[in-house]
């Protein structure tokens, strides 16, 4: 019998991660940059949901597959979120620092998540708040300072920002 050229005891893990937030906050840009190291100034609005897969060689015998779900930020797709959120194990809520209304909507997104998805034990999925477009901050309103962001995350059940 010949030895297999590759180890057969590789462990693989698949994690569904949601990326949500208002329309135009840069969710698709974040995913494209992270998964493909691509950035473009021009993206079309996501319709419904889009997916990307990031493979991470965690160790020689462990592969992590992160399935990133890019959820549309338009109100007309909000009725579908329960289906999209199913079996997610974590989420990123994205807001645009140049548009304060997108930050004002963050608690609504977090509440929607908490009401529609949880971990198998019933606890809420871990959620990180992303302040996006910080490079464009001079074009819009200033974001909160670190202490205010820490307090906001604590009050609203975010893991970190």
């Amino acid at each position: 019998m010949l030895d297999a050229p590759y180890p057969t005891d590789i462990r693989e893990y698949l994690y569904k991660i949601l990326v949500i937030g208002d329309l135009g906050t840069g969710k698709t840009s974040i995913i494209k940059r992270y998964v493909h190291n691509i950035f473009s100034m021009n993206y079309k609005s996501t319709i419904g949901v889009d997916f990307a897969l990031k493979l991470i060689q965690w160790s020689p015998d462990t592969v992590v597959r992160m399935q990133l779900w890019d959820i549309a930020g338009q109100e007309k797709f909000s009725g579908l979120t329960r289906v999209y959120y199913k079996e997610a194990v974590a989420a990123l809520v994205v807001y645009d620092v140049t548009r304060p209304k997108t930050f004002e909507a963050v608690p609504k997104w977090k509440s929607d998540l908490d009401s529609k998805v949880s971990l198998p034990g019933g606890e809420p999925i871990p959620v990180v708040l992303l302040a996006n477009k910080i490079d464009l901050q001079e074009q819009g309103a200033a974001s909160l300072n670190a202490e205010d962001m820490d307090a906001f995350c604590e009050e609203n059940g975010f893991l970190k920002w």
Side-chain angles (χ1 to χ4, degrees), residues 9-144:
D9 56 346
I10 291 181
R11 294 177 304 205
E12 292 190 27
Y13 299 92
L14 175 65
Y15 297 110
K16 178 178 178 179
I17 313 293
L18 305 173
V19 183
I20 63 174
D22 276 4
L23 175 69
T25 56
K27 299 177 297 294
T28 301
S29 291
I30 290 168
I31 292 169
K32 297 278 188 203
R33 173 72 92 174
Y34 180 61
V35 173
H36 305 292
N37 200 25
I38 296 170
F39 177 76
S40 172
M41 294 292 289
N42 304 309
Y43 285 105
K44 291 186 167 89
S45 294
T46 301
I47 306 231
V49 67
D50 198 5
F51 310 90
L53 185 66
K54 175 74 172 182
L55 285 165
I56 301 169
Q57 188 72 47
W58 191 261
S59 70
D61 64 342
T62 306
V63 174
V64 174
R65 296 175 188 275
M66 288 179 40
Q67 194 179 62
L68 299 166
W69 285 53
D70 184 357
I71 311 292
Q74 297 104 315
E75 188 68 35
K76 65 183 173 183
F77 296 111
S78 64
L80 298 170
T81 56
R82 184 175 302 281
V83 174
Y84 296 153
Y85 293 178
K86 188 175 179 161
E87 298 179 7
V89 297
L92 305 171
V93 175
V94 182
Y95 80 96
D96 176 348
V97 299
T98 70
R99 295 174 31 229
K101 289 236 181 265
T102 66
F103 181 73
E104 293 166 15
V106 164
K108 171 191 71 96
W109 286 103
K110 179 66 167 75
S111 175
D112 189 50
L113 272 174
D114 290 346
S115 70
K116 294 178 180 171
V117 67
S118 60
L119 295 174
E123 61 274 9
I125 64 172
V127 182
V128 173
L129 178 60
L130 294 182
N132 198 24
K133 303 186 185 182
I134 197 77
D135 57 318
L136 304 176
Q137 192 170 8
E138 67 277 357
Q139 296 178 17
S143 62
L144 300 174

Side-chain angles (χ1 to χ4, degrees), residues 110 147-158:
K110 179 66 167 75
E147 294 83 23
D148 290 340
M149 288 297 288
D150 288 342
F152 179 85
C153 288
E154 179 77 26
E155 292 165 16
N156 290 278
F158 286 92

